[in-house]
């Protein structure tokens, strides 16, 4: 059965609206009886349409999935009607821990602590609670430590399509960060 583009778009829109979460491209392709590449092009075209129109919703791409969601600029309007969505604030330690996980994933708690130089239990637990990270499995090593990685919620919150979009850090910046950390350590030691 051959469907028109507008009919396929309507089907995709209905699925994304109903699911409320991201839906993999292969499932959308199956629903409209198209291959993944054609489906991806169709949905990206829909994304352009949503962005071009004055609409309160948009389509976002997350890894190999798509999701229908509200535009951020209408958040304040939404909370006046709906019960206030859970809003969280990331402390410096949580943000630092999240950065390590995002760049080094999959990573164990011990590896995080070795990089940070301090215990990270609280930060890791908060990030798990916020849904920004998840357990990805266990490392095949003594004690079988848990491996952590970022989630789709992480991508959503930071406006990323995939972790490949994270900014790269140049070797010069790394050297600068190390120098700053050494200077801070020296200052702390002088104050003690």
């Amino acid at each position: 059965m051959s469907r028109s583009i507008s009919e396929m778009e309507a089907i995709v829109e209905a699925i994304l609206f109903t699911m409320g979460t991201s839906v993999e491209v292969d499932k959308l392709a199956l629903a409209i009886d198209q291959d993944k590449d054609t489906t991806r092009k169709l949905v990206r075209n829909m994304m352009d349409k949503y962005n071009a129109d004055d609409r309160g919703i948009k389509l976002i791409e997350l890894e190999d999935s798509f999701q229908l969601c509200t535009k951020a600029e209408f958040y304040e309007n939404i909370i006046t009607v709906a019960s206030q969505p859970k809003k969280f604030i990331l402390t410096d330690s949580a943000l630092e821990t999240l950065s390590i996980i995002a760049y080094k994933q999959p990573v164990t708690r011990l590896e995080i602590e070795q990089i940070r130089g301090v215990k990270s239990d609280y930060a890791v637990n908060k990030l798990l609670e916020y849904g920004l990270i998840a357990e990805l499995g266990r490392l095949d090593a003594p004690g079988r430590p848990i491996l952590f990685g970022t989630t789709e919620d992480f991508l959503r919150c930071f406006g990323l399509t995939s972790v490949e979009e994270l900014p790269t850090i140049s070797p010069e910046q790394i050297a600068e960060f190390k120098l700053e950390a050494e200077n801070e350590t020296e200052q702390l030691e002088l104050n003690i």
Side-chain angles (χ1 to χ4, degrees), residues 16-27:
L16 295 177
F17 177 79
T18 302
M19 296 307 292
T21 60
S22 64
V23 179
E24 295 85 7
V25 172
D26 55 343
K27 290 181 180 177

Side-chain angles (χ1 to χ4, degrees), residues 6-96:
S6 61
E7 186 179 7
M8 288 187 289
E9 288 177 346
I11 292 168
V12 168
E13 186 178 52
I15 291 168
L16 295 177
F17 177 79
T18 302
M19 296 307 292
T21 60
S22 64
V23 179
E24 295 85 7
V25 172
D26 55 343
K27 290 181 180 177
L28 293 172
L30 184 64
I32 62 173
D33 197 29
Q34 297 292 321
D35 62 75
K36 284 173 60 171
D37 289 335
T38 303
T39 303
R40 194 175 284 108
K41 287 176 189 171
L42 177 91
V43 178
R44 286 182 179 153
N45 185 47
M46 290 172 66
M47 289 170 76
D48 293 339
K49 288 180 184 179
Y50 276 101
N51 288 334
D53 293 342
D54 289 333
R55 303 195 98 172
I57 55 177
K58 65 179 181 177
L59 279 166
I60 58 172
E61 187 172 356
L62 304 164
E63 297 287 342
D64 205 28
S65 301
F66 291 94
Q67 182 174 355
L68 192 62
C69 63
T70 56
K71 289 185 177 174
E73 59 262 30
F74 300 115
Y75 177 80
E76 294 300 322
N77 303 96
I78 293 168
I79 62 172
T80 61
V81 176
S83 60
Q84 190 165 353
K86 191 161 116 178
K87 198 172 187 180
F88 46 81
I89 297 172
L90 292 176
T91 62
D92 289 343
S93 64
L95 193 55
E96 186 177 284

